[in-house]
Amino acid sequence: MHDFGDKPPNEILDIATGTGSWVIEAAAKWKDASLLVGFDLVAIQPASSLLHDRIRWVQGNILDGLPFADQTFDFVRMSRIAMGLPETQWNQVIEDAVRVLRPGGVLEIIEEDSIFPFQPTPDQLNSMEKARDSAPPSSSSHADHDTSGSSVAGHSVRSVPQPPISRRPISIMIPKTLNPRTRSRSLGSQNSSTVVLPPSSKMPPQSGPPSSHHSTSSRDETPIPFVEKARPSTRDPRDHTILHQAWHNMLDDRFIMPKPTSLLSFYLPSHPDLQSVLSHEPIQVVAPRPSFSTRLHDAIPSSPDEDSKEITLAPMGTAPVNAPRTSGIFTTKDAGMHLRQSMQVVLGCAEALWEQATRMYPNMRRDDFDRLLRDFELDMLDRIDTRSALMAGVGWCGRTGRCDLEEWRERAKRFPPSDLETAPLICRTIRGFVAIKTTTPPGPISNHTTPTSPSST
């Protein structure tokens, strides 16, 4: 996002680099950069022997602090780490990113909200409330000390009594089932010693495997019986209310911020060591239409408009100077790819969602849950409709015969669609931020320690 012009950065850090693709692309673009470091918990990047020696991979846990000296980098970047970062840790991570940034250096953050691409109707919500009201009293009360433990997403969770209005404690591990290629896993326990990275140094050795984190969790609610009406055989396959609630319970248990784009819009402008904080309106991507939706009566515009809305960075709290303020909602020919991205994140959290579903419905069978998840996947694939896109684009007809998606569409036809199902569905909300580190120490009101000015490179 940031335009470096004819003065590209020399030392670059990509936090939560994932597969390292951005670092490799940056190395190809900025050929004069002397050092490009990709930092991540897991070693899923290409082998260093296959890459230029300017590129280094460093494994570590972002919650243990970045293992780099103060004022090491000209450009620090973070992208899509919110699903693995508790809300209470955002300030620590931003502080550490600013610490390793040189005065005058650029901090760039690209983040998106944690969206479950489904909007329950009032009737669907009422059905869950009725099921909750008809549930028998729970055998245990949160007024008593609950010391039972369970395993959630590969780490221990222990319930403790909590005030009714308090937010639930956190579990800082994102489910291990989440595909590392759909997001970067930068959590775990790693060696936090400082890594010195002169241009001639080699990549530091990877630390041992991450250890499990222990935290507490409680839910001040009565389990809901998994009534026969909710079974897939008698349920609208477009109704994902159970998974939708399980998704939000999962985020709540881990203290994951559902809308980190809003959180960052407060954190960054108030940081004493950052100046010229720029951003743009959140980009809200509209999911493709479902197959039953007609173009004539669909509320979504029929033509893509991504080319008509230029993304313009502007100081926080002001409208772009050279562009009118818009709603930030995009319909795009690539909406299917965006929806697939959101779908893969949900599917990657299957085990954590199963844990939440059994808390709500203790007598739910695993095959019932798997069918709920499969119906959700087929609903998203119905909107993505890769086959039609290939037919329209390259004339590919594909194989013949019935498939799971066609059978799902036949079942869906037995249930009339709701108004919400034909209305626009936001499948991704993305926002970018750019900030410059101040070159002068902050005022006395700040407790932040400003590093000394570096020598010229």
Side-chain angles (χ1 to χ4, degrees):
M1 294 188 301
H2 181 73
D3 184 8
F4 287 94
D6 57 355
K7 295 182 179 180
N10 192 42
E11 286 88 19
I12 302 162
L13 172 64
D14 184 27
I15 299 174
T17 192
T19 59
S21 58
W22 183 90
V23 170
I24 296 173
E25 293 175 4
K29 178 180 179 180
W30 295 318
K31 300 183 183 300
D32 293 333
S34 63
L35 181 65
L36 300 98
V37 179
F39 179 82
D40 202 274
L41 173 65
V42 289
I44 57 174
Q45 303 80 29
S48 299
S49 59
L50 303 176
L51 304 171
H52 196 281
D53 58 8
R54 297 182 300 145
I55 297 177
R56 317 284 165 74
W57 308 126
V58 178
Q59 272 66 60
N61 172 17
I62 193 173
L63 297 184
D64 289 339
L66 295 171
F68 310 107
D70 295 358
Q71 305 180 22
T72 301
F73 301 98
D74 305 306
F75 181 32
V76 175
R77 176 184 182 270
M78 295 186 287
S79 178
R80 299 181 60 238
I81 67 172
M83 277 293 289
L85 190 62
E87 180 181 348
T88 55
Q89 301 296 320
W90 268 105
N91 188 57
Q92 169 192 326
V93 170
I94 293 174
E95 285 290 331
D96 218 24
V98 174
R99 177 185 63 80
V100 301
L101 190 63
R102 293 191 178 109
V106 176
L107 173 64
E108 180 178 286
I109 301 177
I110 301 174
E111 199 48 80
E112 65 177 285
D113 294 343
S114 302
I115 293 179
F116 186 96
F118 167 71
Q119 178 59 51
T121 66
D123 289 342
Q124 291 165 348
L125 292 176
N126 289 337
S127 296
M128 286 200 68
E129 289 300 324
K130 289 179 180 178
R132 186 187 305 273
D133 294 340
S134 63
S138 176
S139 59
S140 63
S141 171
H142 287 286
D144 301 324
H145 289 274
D146 181 3
T147 58
S148 62
S150 61
S151 177
V152 179
H155 61 282
S156 177
V157 173
R158 187 169 300 278
S159 298
V160 295
Q162 294 291 323
I165 61 172
S166 67
R167 191 122 184 220
R168 298 176 182 88
I170 62 174
S171 288
I172 64 173
M173 288 290 286
I174 193 68
K176 293 193 298 183
T177 54
L178 191 57
N179 189 328
R181 295 185 181 274
T182 64
R183 72 109 177 103
S184 180
R185 297 180 293 181
S186 291
L187 300 177
S189 178
Q190 297 283 338
N191 190 342
S192 60
S193 59
T194 299
V195 176
V196 181
L197 290 170
S200 60
S201 68
K202 296 182 179 180
M203 185 183 78
Q206 182 177 353
S207 304
S211 62
S212 297
H213 287 265
H214 296 269
S215 63
T216 58
S217 177
S218 68
R219 188 164 298 285
D220 187 17
E221 59 186 32
T222 302
I224 307 171
F226 187 65
V227 294
E228 190 68 27
K229 182 180 179 181
R231 295 197 183 280
S233 58
T234 57
R235 177 187 51 80
D236 184 347
R238 296 184 298 263
D239 181 1
H240 313 301
T241 312
I242 296 173
L243 293 177
H244 181 266
Q245 184 61 48
W247 171 266
H248 287 284
N249 290 350
M250 179 193 72
L251 296 181
D252 202 21
D253 272 354
R254 288 159 174 77
F255 214 57
I256 302 299
M257 184 70 175
K259 296 184 178 181
T261 57
S262 299
L263 184 72
L264 289 169
S265 67
F266 288 98
Y267 268 3
L268 295 178
S270 61
H271 195 286
D273 287 346
L274 295 177
Q275 63 183 5
S276 304
V277 180
L278 307 177
S279 185
H280 56 81
E281 294 183 64
I283 302 171
Q284 300 183 26
V285 182
V286 177
R289 305 173 181 86
S291 60
F292 63 80
S293 176
T294 60
R295 291 181 180 270
L296 182 61
H297 298 97
D298 200 334
I300 305 175
S302 59
S303 60
D305 63 359
E306 71 269 24
D307 295 332
S308 64
K309 295 182 179 179
E310 181 179 354
I311 304 301
T312 304
L313 293 176
M316 293 288 293
T318 65
V321 176
N322 297 321
R325 191 163 185 83
T326 62
S327 64
I329 296 180
F330 280 60
T331 56
T332 168
K333 61 180 180 295
D334 297 325
M337 297 178 63
H338 288 280
L339 181 58
R340 184 177 288 274
Q341 170 68 41
S342 297
M343 178 190 75
Q344 288 299 125
V345 172
V346 173
L347 296 179
C349 296
E351 294 304 316
L353 294 174
W354 163 242
E355 179 75 21
Q356 297 296 335
T358 55
R359 291 183 186 180
M360 299 190 303
Y361 299 93
N363 61 333
M364 177 185 284
R365 301 193 304 259
R366 181 60 193 242
D367 59 339
D368 287 332
F369 171 80
D370 290 341
R371 186 58 180 269
L372 291 174
L373 199 63
R374 180 57 175 165
D375 278 344
F376 165 77
E377 182 180 11
L378 291 171
D379 192 0
M380 300 300 103
L381 292 176
D382 173 68
R383 288 174 173 268
I384 295 170
D385 199 7
T386 304
R387 178 179 295 183
S388 296
L390 289 174
M391 290 177 62
V394 297
W396 181 81
C397 296
R399 66 177 180 84
T400 59
R402 290 180 64 82
C403 62
D404 286 353
L405 182 56
E406 292 169 339
E407 293 174 356
W408 179 90
R409 286 168 175 166
E410 289 297 325
R411 284 194 292 125
K413 287 180 181 178
R414 301 201 299 262
F415 301 88
S418 68
D419 292 339
L420 283 178
E421 288 172 321
T422 58
L425 174 67
I426 302 299
C427 63
R428 292 185 79 183
T429 299
I430 309 168
R431 191 172 187 181
F433 303 84
V434 174
I436 310 297
K437 185 174 181 179
T438 56
T439 56
T440 57
I445 60 173
S446 172
N447 294 324
H448 181 79
T449 302
T450 304
T452 57
S453 178
S455 57
S456 59
T457 57

